[in-house]
């Protein structure tokens, strides 16, 4: 791949702009993705935080559910934050009726596990694959990971709960690095897109 990968941000709902800025700061060409034709043109994709039930509905409406599932299966690197993490789980513990995910990580997530909007918090999180100081984890109605399959690498925990994981080409965090101005997690993802951060090497 050339040195500057093109990384899309799924732009159906959620904090799209913040991810576009963080990806550009991490040396990717970043662009919003709303249509299957746009999905076909990116080397990697970020699924932002927002509301997973809304993202699920809009993805079906925009004809993106199947094309996106197919690209994840084909090995396209994908990174989901918060609602994006939920969208990448093979299973949701407490889904709304009809709520679908793209899947990609053999895990079960619990939505809103850390509490409601007014219980949002920040915490220092030590994350495997991110050198130096802990990352500032911003948790907003965040999910946690209840359980993972054998192929899932746990990258971070907070309060005894799994909050960052990777399975092969798919990365997910309960928290929102795009809101902190610290672009190291996006840097890790861009390295995955470039093919320079192999699974198990973190
Ligand atoms: N900040 C977020 O992305 C919140 C996620 C939200 N609780 C959901 O279930 O989708």
């Amino acid at each position: 791949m050339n040195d500057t990968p093109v990384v899309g941000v799924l732009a159906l709902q959620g904090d799209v702009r913040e991810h576009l800025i963080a990806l550009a700061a991490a040396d990717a060409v970043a662009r919003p993705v709303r249509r299957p034709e746009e999905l076909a043109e990116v080397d990697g994709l970020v699924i932002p935080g927002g509301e997973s039930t809304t993202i699920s509905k809009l993805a079906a409406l925009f004809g993106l559910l199947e094309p996106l599932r197919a690209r994840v299966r084909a090995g396209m690197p994908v990174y989901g934050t918060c609602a994006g993490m939920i969208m990448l789980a093979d299973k949701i513990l407490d889904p709304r009726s009809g709520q679908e995910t793209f899947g990609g990580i053999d895990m079960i997530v619990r939505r809103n596990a850390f509490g409601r909007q007014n219980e949002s918090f920040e915490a220092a999180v030590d994350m495997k694959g991110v050198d130096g100081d802990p990352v500032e984890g911003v948790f907003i109605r965040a999910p946690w990971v209840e359980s993972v399959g054998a192929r899932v690498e746990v990258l971070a925990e907070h309060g005894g709960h799994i909050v960052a994981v990777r399975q092969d080409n798919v990365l997910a965090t309960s928290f929102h690095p795009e809101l902190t101005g610290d672009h190291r997690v996006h840097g890790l993802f861009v390295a995955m897109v470039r093919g320079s951060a192999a699974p198990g090497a973190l």
Side-chain angles (χ1 to χ4, degrees):
M1 156 155 335
N2 64 34
D3 283 348
T4 310
V6 178
V7 179
V9 179
L10 187 66
L12 302 174
Q13 190 259 342
D15 65 337
V16 175
R17 190 169 159 270
E18 290 79 359
H19 277 290
L20 291 170
I21 292 168
L23 286 166
D27 292 331
V29 172
R31 47 167 89 140
V33 166
R34 283 189 197 85
R35 297 180 300 127
E37 303 84 81
E38 292 165 338
L39 176 64
E41 286 169 5
V42 296
D43 302 313
L45 187 74
V46 168
I47 303 178
E51 179 49 52
S52 56
T53 52
T54 306
I55 295 174
S56 166
K57 263 189 225 142
L58 292 176
L61 204 65
F62 279 69
L64 278 167
L65 269 179
E66 281 314 322
L68 216 156
R69 283 176 180 149
R71 285 222 58 197
V72 175
R73 274 198 303 273
M76 175 179 71
V78 188
Y79 170 34
T81 58
C82 202
M85 169 189 256
I86 296 167
M87 292 303 300
L88 293 173
D90 284 350
K91 190 157 187 258
I92 306 175
L93 191 71
D94 48 353
R96 283 262 192 92
S97 90
Q99 181 172 7
E100 301 227 42
T101 70
F102 303 125
I105 302 184
D106 178 12
M107 65 177 173
I108 301 174
V109 293
R110 182 188 289 271
R111 296 179 56 225
N112 304 320
F114 284 108
R116 307 160 78 89
Q117 188 84 17
N118 60 7
E119 293 164 301
S120 299
F121 63 96
E122 293 180 23
V125 177
D126 252 321
M127 184 167 163
K128 220 170 154 189
V130 176
D131 292 334
D133 293 339
V135 299
E136 187 187 341
V138 178
F139 293 82
I140 305 168
R141 284 186 303 124
W144 71 47
V145 179
E146 285 281 331
S147 63
V148 294
R151 290 176 58 205
V152 179
E153 191 178 3
V154 173
L155 302 181
E157 296 190 20
H158 176 73
H161 300 288
I162 301 170
V163 295
V165 287
R166 176 179 181 179
Q167 181 178 324
D168 303 324
N169 53 312
V170 189
L171 177 72
T173 60
S174 300
F175 50 90
H176 293 267
E178 73 282 8
L179 300 180
T180 62
D182 174 353
H183 306 305
R184 288 176 298 165
V185 180
H186 287 78
L188 167 64
F189 179 60
V190 172
M192 284 170 59
V193 180
R194 284 204 182 96
S196 56
L202 301 182

